[in-house]
Amino acid sequence: MNLSTLVPSADVLVQQCINGDRTAYRLLYDRYAKAMFNTAHRIVNRTADAEDVLQEAFTDAFQQLKSFEGKSTFGAWLKQIVVFKSISHLKKQKLLFSDLEPDAEKLADETPLNEDEVWYTVDMIKQAVQSLPDGYRTVLTLHLFEGYEQEEVAEIMQVAHSTVRTQYMRAKQKLLQVLKKGEVYEQ
């Protein structure tokens, strides 16, 4: 028996949702919830906040299903909603760029750290990323982990491209400093 005949594609599920099939809503949610939660969590950095963002994103997505034109995959469309909801959540808390350390300006002027000398486990890097200020973490997450170009990150965050470029550079430097100082530990 072919598994693809048992589990409908996302496109089929979307159409079933539009037609009012409640089971299709659950199947779409189950298919994408974990990945979307992870995306939200990388940006907002708190489990409860990521859960809230996830619920808001799915609610909006399900309400707007008829406007989904299929120009991208459903997953990509949903991920964009999650990213925007996550950024909006941080902005509501006024945590995006207001949380930079007073010495953040000095970071950009320091001698760059040699990234080739650094080797760490995935857990150590995750911990270090989570310890970054929200502005740094958000730019780093959107660019490195979510795959957005810096220009797209600037558009999403509604800031100048130069701000994103500076935040990204500072975030990388701060991340390497945290890792080199050994402020995170392998679990």
Side-chain angles (χ1 to χ4, degrees), residues 1-9:
M1 178 170 265
N2 187 348
L3 184 62
S4 63
T5 59
L6 296 176
V7 181
S9 70

Side-chain angles (χ1 to χ4, degrees), residues 20-44:
D21 183 343
R22 295 178 65 99
T23 304
Y25 282 103
R26 172 49 74 186
L27 292 172
L28 265 180
Y29 181 87
D30 290 346
R31 181 175 290 182
Y32 291 100
K34 184 174 181 178
M36 296 304 132
F37 171 82
N38 289 336
T39 295
H41 193 268
R42 283 190 294 267
I43 296 170
V44 299

Side-chain angles (χ1 to χ4, degrees), residues 15 20 36 47-48 70-71 78 86 95 138 143 148 172 177 182:
Q15 192 55 52
M36 296 304 132
T47 300
K71 292 180 181 176
L78 180 60
S86 298
L95 294 176
T138 301
H143 183 61
Y148 289 99
K172 279 181 35 179
Q177 283 180 342

